[in-house]
């Protein structure tokens, strides 16, 4: 009987302390109200330094933003994931490197199929699934 009472008390102590020792996500590294929704409104503009975005209200971590070349796997377009990643087509500011290297200053790279106008290019926004 004493053994059962001891086990019961240990179980109660564990259940009471478990929530306080678990990791808490009460302070996420982003302000959810300021996140850009990238799935509902068609092609949206996203700054290159963006770390998190929303897709249908769910928060995703941005892995990278690269200029669109037209060579990405169509099967990896969000919401379908390939190796834990998916991408969306967005518009983004032209990278300063491309803008400085181009003859006309627009940031167009003749080797790529990306379109660029007024410092904005089509880009792939790669998200962590």
């Amino acid at each position: 009987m004493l053994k059962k009472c001891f086990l019961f008390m240990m179980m109660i102590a564990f259940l009471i302390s478990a929530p306080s020792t678990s990791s808490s996500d009460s302070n996420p590294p982003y302000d959810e109200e300021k996140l850009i929704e990238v799935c509902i409104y068609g092609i949206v503009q996203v700054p290159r330094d963006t770390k998190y975005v929303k897709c249908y209200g769910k928060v995703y971590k941005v892995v990278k933003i690269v200029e669109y070349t037209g060579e990405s796997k169509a099967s990896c377009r969000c919401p379908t994931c390939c190796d834990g990643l998916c991408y969306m087509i967005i518009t983004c500011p032209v990278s300063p490197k491309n803008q400085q290297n181009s003859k006309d200053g627009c940031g167009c790279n003749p080797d790529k199929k990306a379109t660029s106008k007024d410092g904005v290019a089509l880009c792939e926004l790669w998200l962590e699934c």
Side-chain angles (χ1 to χ4, degrees):
M1 179 71 174
L2 185 60
K3 188 175 181 180
K4 285 184 181 181
C5 184
F6 177 75
L7 288 175
F8 179 74
M9 294 300 274
M10 290 300 291
M11 185 175 72
I12 295 296
F14 175 75
L15 291 175
I16 291 172
S17 66
S20 64
T21 59
S22 66
S23 64
S24 175
D25 216 13
S26 61
N27 294 324
Y30 51 82
D31 182 359
E32 193 164 346
E33 293 177 9
K34 294 182 180 180
L35 294 178
I36 299 169
E37 172 62 59
V38 295
C39 294
I40 296 174
Y41 306 111
I43 296 178
V44 297
Q45 185 166 353
V46 178
R48 285 190 181 268
D49 62 346
T50 301
K51 303 289 185 220
Y52 295 90
V53 294
K54 278 186 191 178
C55 181
Y56 298 111
K58 185 176 176 186
V59 177
Y60 290 90
K61 183 177 181 179
V62 174
V63 175
K64 63 183 174 180
I65 299 176
V66 294
E67 288 191 27
Y68 179 66
T69 61
E71 299 172 7
S72 293
K73 299 177 188 176
S75 61
C76 297
R77 250 190 154 147
C78 297
T80 306
C81 295
C82 299
D83 299 323
L85 300 176
C86 70
Y87 77 94
M88 303 197 61
I89 302 296
I90 59 164
T91 60
C92 65
V94 174
S95 67
K97 181 178 79 172
N98 284 353
Q99 205 163 16
Q100 291 169 357
N101 293 340
S102 69
K103 293 176 186 172
D104 59 1
C106 78
C108 303
N109 185 339
D111 299 332
K112 294 184 177 183
K113 297 178 184 176
T115 60
S116 177
K117 181 180 179 186
D118 300 326
V120 177
L122 284 178
C123 294
E124 296 171 356
L125 173 73
W126 285 88
L127 306 174
E128 208 174 73
C129 297

